[in-house]
Amino acid sequence: MTRLALLAAGGTGGHLFPAEALASELAQRGWIIDLATDERVDRYGLNFPARERHIIAAETFRSKNPLAIAKTAFALARGVAQARRAIQRTKPSIVIGFGGYPSFPPLVAAKLTGTPSILHEANAIMGRANRSLSGLVDAVATSWEDTRHVGGAIKAKATHVGMPVRPAVRAAATTPYPEFQGQLKVLVFGGSQGARVFADVAPTAMALLPDALRARLDVTQQARAEDQARVRDAYNAAGITAEVAPFFPDLPARMAASHLVLSRSGGSTVAELGVVGRPAILIPLPGAIDADQLLNARAFEAAGAGVLAQQLDVTPRSLAQILGELLSDQTRLETMATAARSLGKPDAASRLADLVEATASA
């Protein structure tokens, strides 16, 4: 009998990409896939292999203001009601949540309807939302072997599977690390939604590099639409070859073609860097209560695969120094690339699919 899996993921790349990887693996095994998500999916989920998409209300607790808390609680309650109706109508064999508050309504609804469920934790630390959800699910899947805040009752139901990556990432992993003759390719991106800090500092930092190094640069940079023109103008003024766009659908292939990556350190980004095997300068998103990106970056750096740069400390000159040291040292970059690849788990989607099938059958 054909089985249905309901995958719950927020509508940004960081949540959708691992869900897409699992969906592709389950589809190959004969499962039907439905997706519970939010309205942002129209931009980042165009290739998601779902039979049906359920737009579910969700909100994040961002403020201690009583009115804001009440508004968030109401949105989540409305989302639970929507998800419960969807589950009762479609009768999935299992619900899999990919973390954060967008997973909250479907996983709560799964508990209310007696539907088996799994929570996947993307980061090196389990955040507040996932800790609150972990007691409701039948199993927890982790990306990192030593995920913080996974102990006691959570640890008893936790399985280390890694972070699922899309088929395009696994395909890009077959590309060998590029040779150093000719251009030096640098990829800059700030997650699926971009980040202003990279627009502010990256072009200026690269313009500060020595002439001989700067002349070899070939930069691909993701920039928000409102920053695109000034970033492109800055590279042109410095005589640097650069392609600038708000979003690159072929990002895995561009990552594979790069000698060095400059990026945030979300769970999906770090996992993809590991599978493809590319060294990176990581600037974690600051201000997060759980410091998830900071811990991801620390783990990547500790493995010898990257350099951590805190956003508060990053200036064009400090970034230029790091870029210059790395791009001038072929042996170091190649060693970092090997270290990055040692962290990758290209079979994570398959391992998570195994856990899905075991939990659904239990």
Side-chain angles (χ1 to χ4, degrees), residues 330-345:
Q330 175 180 345
T331 301
R332 184 179 177 189
L333 281 179
E334 289 173 341
T335 300
M336 291 170 69
T338 300
R341 193 176 290 275
S342 73
L343 294 174
K345 290 188 169 50

Side-chain angles (χ1 to χ4, degrees), residues 117-330:
S117 60
I118 293 175
L119 172 65
H120 183 270
E121 172 55 62
N123 298 299
I125 181 172
M126 180 171 276
R128 294 173 302 157
N130 285 0
R131 291 201 299 274
S132 68
L133 288 167
S134 61
L136 303 179
V137 299
D138 297 285
V140 173
T142 63
S143 295
W144 297 84
E145 196 159 4
D146 299 314
T147 305
R148 286 201 192 181
H149 296 326
V150 174
I154 303 176
K155 190 170 185 178
K157 59 172 124 177
T159 301
H160 174 229
V161 300
M163 171 66 104
V165 296
R166 296 166 287 162
V169 177
R170 297 198 297 273
T174 63
T175 303
Y177 189 72
E179 299 290 335
F180 272 78
Q181 288 79 17
Q183 293 178 311
L184 292 171
K185 292 183 177 292
V186 179
L187 172 64
V188 184
F189 68 99
S192 62
Q193 301 180 87
R196 177 150 290 163
V197 63
F198 297 102
D200 291 342
V201 301
T204 308
M206 294 193 210
L208 292 173
L209 292 173
D211 292 348
L213 201 57
R214 190 175 69 247
R216 296 177 61 195
L217 288 179
D218 182 356
V219 179
T220 297
Q221 179 158 348
Q222 178 198 43
R224 294 178 178 180
E226 60 268 29
D227 297 323
Q228 193 173 346
R230 70 181 177 97
V231 170
R232 186 182 293 113
D233 290 346
Y235 282 122
N236 287 339
I240 296 172
T241 300
E243 182 178 359
V244 182
F247 184 69
F248 294 102
D250 60 342
L251 192 67
R254 292 174 183 268
M255 184 184 292
S258 300
H259 293 92
L260 180 64
V261 175
L262 172 62
S263 70
R264 289 293 196 202
S265 50
S268 286
T269 295
V270 172
E272 292 181 359
L273 287 167
V275 171
V276 177
R278 294 299 178 266
I281 301 168
L282 298 174
I283 304 179
L285 179 70
I289 293 175
D290 299 308
D292 50 345
Q293 290 203 14
L294 175 60
L295 290 172
N296 293 344
R298 282 179 177 167
F300 201 75
E301 182 181 56
V307 175
L308 165 62
Q310 297 268 26
Q311 182 166 319
L312 289 175
D313 301 326
V314 170
T315 65
R317 192 163 298 280
S318 68
L319 182 57
Q321 181 174 349
I322 299 172
L323 285 165
E325 290 174 357
L326 292 178
L327 291 171
S328 300
D329 193 337
Q330 175 180 345

Side-chain angles (χ1 to χ4, degrees), residues 48 82 99 346:
F48 201 99
Q82 292 171 331

Side-chain angles (χ1 to χ4, degrees), residues 11 14 25 40 75 78 93 138 191 202 212 279:
E25 176 67 25
R40 296 171 296 177
R78 184 161 62 93
S93 299
D138 297 285

